[in-house]
Structures are given as C-alpha cells and as structure tokens.
C-alpha cells in the first residue's frame, strides 16, 4: 500500500520549504503485497513545495528590512546569500563550516585567506600579527594593559565616549591609567586638539576609541604619543575597515567584528610583533597575545563560522575596489543624512561637532521629544528598524555601516522629511 506523506505544516517541513539548498529526497514510494518486509529504514520528508513555488532569492530580499542597528548590524546581502549557498556543504567538502575541525585543512584555508585578505585591505606590514579572537572588544580592555605594561606602569587614555571610559576603568585593575582628557562633562560631542594634551612622559601607551558608537564621535586624525617608546592603541570596533588606515601609526588595533565585518563572536587584534611576549604573570592564557600568535589563532577552538563570515566580507570589500572606494560610499551616505538633519531648521539635531561627526553612527534628536515613539513606530512600518538611540543617551541613532546600501539612507531621509512635514 502507499505510504501517506506527512502533514506539510510541521516545523521540519516548514524549514525545508524555506531552505531549498538542503535538497531533501522527495521521491515517494510504494510497497506491493508480495514485497518482503524490509528492515527498519528512515523516510525523508516529501511534503515540500514544488521548485516553482519556493520563494525566489529576489522575493527573499524584498522581505528584508533596512537595519540601522549599532551591532550586531546589517551584513552585505551578497555575503549572506553566498554563506547560505555554502551552509550545507562547503565547496564540496561534504560538511558545513560549522562542522569542520579547526585544525583540518579546510578551515585552515578559510582562516588563512581571511587573514591574507585583511592584510591586503589594510596594507598590514609583515611585522604585525593578525589575531582572530573571542570575547569581543570588551575583553581587550583587559588584554591590552596585561600584554603591554607592568602593574606599576603609567598609561594614558583619551576619552571621547562611553567605550573609552569603560576601557580606562578596566585598565585600573592592571596598571596605572590616567585620563589625559575626557569629553564627559560636555556629553561627548568633540575630539580635543592634540596640541593641548598633557601626556604622561613615561606612558607605555596612549589609548583612544577611534569611533564612539554611542555618541557618534570619530577621530579623523590620530594623536602621536609624546614618549618615543610609547605606542598608540585604538579600539576601532565601529569603524574598522570603513576607510583606509595607516596601521604603522599604531602599536595595536582591536575591533569587534559585529559592526562592519561580520557577526558577533569575533574580535580582531592587529599588534606589532615586538610588543608580544611580555604579558604580566597573572595574564590568563586566553588573553596572552603570544599564545595566540604562536598558534595562528588556533590555540583553542576559535569562532570558526564567524571567521568564515569575516573572510567573505573581506573578499567583498576587495571586490568593491578596496577601502578607498568603500570610504567614498560611506562619505556619500553620511553626507546625505547629515545634510537632512542640518537643513531641517531644528526639527532634527545632531549634537556632535561637525568636524568629528562619525561616518558610521549618526545620533540625532527631535525638537519635540514626545514624537520619538511615533517616529520609531512609523519608521518600523516602513521597514526601517533599530533607530532608537542608546539607552544611556536617548533620541535616535542611525548606524550606516559599510553594508547599509545607499537606498537605505535615501529612504530614511525621505521618511524624515515626510515626518517633519506632518509634525512640524
């Protein structure tokens, strides 16, 4: 007798309907009365839509929103689609990247190419190590002082926002940090003149946050440590790979991947090799740069799929023409949004001083704060989400990272103008 197909509304069948790349065996079969009873066997689900009825990639893209989140953030659609196509069987390996041994040749090829492409993007010299780590940029708040100085050493922090402040507070556990300038009293709206900074003469390093995600303050140039033996250290989490950077100006750069170059779970450290190998005795093994450098970021199981995704993003950035071309696109997008704010006659306002406004994170407030909830509600209906400002600041914030298309910014600006016309 014929075996009936299972109902088409189970969670598994719905999953299969929406993931054609899994390619299940959909062949039905029958048993005649004379057929010997077979051994126990498994039956593949056959209740899937005919191929012509499955959602096309074009329709799937139409269902996506413009995601203005600060991180985790939007990723390039072509990268997501490539990852989708390779998810079940990575390039004929017979397994997903998520299933691979991190010590096998397949994953080694992935991490090695990711590093090579990142080196090409940022023109990273051979005397710098590239590390793919875990723990986010916040873990580096401890790793940096533990690796670069001794408990009695002085280090300087230039604080232009919340993340620089958090880094300073964490460093207090491991050395003697000094805040040489803070914009906290002014609510973090500017970067100081470097000429007036009173740096500590014996500081081991000068730490900055190159782009403050919450307040939207971005360094357009970088200070130079006055101590010739000191190095500049930068948290570049929210503007990493958004523009060309002269890596040789820094002793160490670190960045969480989840804003511009991948999903959450990966932290990238670029550190000059002569700074490695002098960690404090109390440094946990997982925070010791030498351990990770000596093992090519494979000391323990790394965030394999996250590194794979970062590699796809690096490849995509190279295909766009490199960071010079990426920066041009980012300048254009930010200019359109800031112009809309500045030309709104006060209905919208960005508090950050113009010379240091971030190309990545655009905070703004409404003249009538009571309209903020309505603004967010209407924007969401138009498929523009995650525009609410950070809980510590309020207002709005549009994060327009590399992967935010120009069309997303143009749609937001059109909505803002329409909202103003209806509520001014």
């Amino acid at each position: 007798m014929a075996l009936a197909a299972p109902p088409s509304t189970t969670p598994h069948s719905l999953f299969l309907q929406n993931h054609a790349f899994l390619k299940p065996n959909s062949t039905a079969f029958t048993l005649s009365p004379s057929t010997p009873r077979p051994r126990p066997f498994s039956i593949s689900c056959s209740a899937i839509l005919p191929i012509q009825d499955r959602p096309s990639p074009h329709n799937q893209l139409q269902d996506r929103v413009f995601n203005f989140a600060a991180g985790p953030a939007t990723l390039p659609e072509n990268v997501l689609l490539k990852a989708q196509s390779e998810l079940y069987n990575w390039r004929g390996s017979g397994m997903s990247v998520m299933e691979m041994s991190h010590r096998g040749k397949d994953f080694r090829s992935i991490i090695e190419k990711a590093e090579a492409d990142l080196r090409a993007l940022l023109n990273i010299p051979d005397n710098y190590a590239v590390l793919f780590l875990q723990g986010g940029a916040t873990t580096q708040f401890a790793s940096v002082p533990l690796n670069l100085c001794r408990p009695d050493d002085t280090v300087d922090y230039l604080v232009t926002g919340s993340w620089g402040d958090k880094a300073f507070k964490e460093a207090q556990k491991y050395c003697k940090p000094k805040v040489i300038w803070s914009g906290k009293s002014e609510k973090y709206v500017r970067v100081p003149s470097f000429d007036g900074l009173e740096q500590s003469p014996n500081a081991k390093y000068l730490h900055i946050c190159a782009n403050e995600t919450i307040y939207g303050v971005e360094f357009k140039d970088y200070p130079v440590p006055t101590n010739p033996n000191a190095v500049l250290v930068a948290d570049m989490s929210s503007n990493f790979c958004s523009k060309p950077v002269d890596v040789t100006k820094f002793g160490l750069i670190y960045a969480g991947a989840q804003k511009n170059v991948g999903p959450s779970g990966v932290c990238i450290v670029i550190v000059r090799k002569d700074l490695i190998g002098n960690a404090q005795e109390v440094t946990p093994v997982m925070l010791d740069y030498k351990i990770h450098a000596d093992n090519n970021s494979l000391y323990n199981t790394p965030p394999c799929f996250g590194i794979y995704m970062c590699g796809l993003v690096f490849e995509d950035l190279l295909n766009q023409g490199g960071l010079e071309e990426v920066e041009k696109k980012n300048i254009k997008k930010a200019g359109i949004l800031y112009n809309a704010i500045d030309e709104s006659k006060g209905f919208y306002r960005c508090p950050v001083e113009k010379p240091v406004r971030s190309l990545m994170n655009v905070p703004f407030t409404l003249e009538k704060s009571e309209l903020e909830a309505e603004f967010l509600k209407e924007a969401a209906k138009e498929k523009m989400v995650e525009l609410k400002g950070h809980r510590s600041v309020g207002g709005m914030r549009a994060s327009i990272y590399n992967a935010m298309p120009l069309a997303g910014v143009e749609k937001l600006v059109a909505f803002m103008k329409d909202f103003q016309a209806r509520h001014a």
Side-chain angles (χ1 to χ4, degrees), residues 114-332:
E115 178 179 337
D117 285 351
L118 179 59
R119 285 184 178 276
L121 277 171
L122 286 169
N123 195 26
I124 301 172
D126 290 340
N127 65 322
Y128 282 75
V130 174
L131 309 177
F132 293 96
L133 307 177
Q134 302 181 64
T138 300
T139 299
Q140 297 307 309
F141 296 168
S143 296
V144 168
L146 282 169
N147 281 272
L148 299 191
C149 62
R150 314 306 297 174
D152 291 332
D153 286 340
T154 300
V155 295
D156 286 343
Y157 280 72
L158 199 168
V159 179
T160 53
S162 295
W163 295 111
D165 185 55
K166 289 176 186 282
F168 162 73
K169 290 176 179 175
E170 184 71 2
Q172 290 178 313
K173 303 174 183 177
Y174 309 110
C175 59
K176 297 186 181 302
K178 177 183 177 183
V179 175
I180 60 171
W181 187 89
S182 173
K184 188 172 184 178
S185 63
E186 304 172 61
K187 298 184 178 180
Y188 298 123
V189 296
R190 68 184 182 95
V191 172
S193 168
F194 301 151
D195 295 335
L197 295 176
E198 295 184 7
Q199 298 185 42
S200 304
N202 298 315
K204 288 290 185 178
Y205 64 78
L206 170 60
H207 180 284
I208 65 170
C209 180
N211 185 80
E212 282 284 354
T213 318
I214 295 176
Y215 291 90
V217 176
E218 182 174 18
F219 282 78
K220 306 302 181 180
D221 196 6
Y222 305 105
V224 177
T226 54
N227 177 4
N229 296 318
V231 295
L232 182 62
V233 174
D235 175 357
M236 291 192 178
S237 292
S238 52
N239 67 350
F240 189 63
C241 287
S242 67
K243 61 183 179 180
V245 170
D246 184 354
V247 172
T248 63
K249 290 184 177 182
F250 302 84
L252 189 151
I253 293 169
Y254 63 94
Q258 71 276 10
K259 301 177 186 296
N260 246 332
V261 297
S264 60
V266 181
C267 180
I268 297 168
V269 172
I270 302 169
V271 55
R272 212 172 66 200
K273 291 180 179 178
D274 63 297
L275 300 174
I276 298 174
N278 301 299
Q280 295 182 28
E281 290 76 8
V282 298
T283 304
V285 65
M286 288 302 294
L287 302 189
D288 190 334
Y289 295 148
K290 180 172 172 52
I291 293 291
H292 295 292
D294 288 349
N295 290 276
N296 300 309
S297 301
L298 297 171
Y299 174 73
N300 73 327
T301 307
C304 296
F305 195 79
I307 293 170
Y308 157 74
M309 289 295 294
C310 289
L312 294 185
V313 172
F314 298 151
E315 185 177 39
D316 179 64
L317 294 175
L318 286 171
N319 290 338
Q320 291 183 48
L323 299 186
E324 291 82 3
E325 293 302 314
V326 171
E327 182 183 30
K328 292 177 184 176
K329 296 176 183 178
N330 289 330
I331 290 173
K332 182 176 182 179

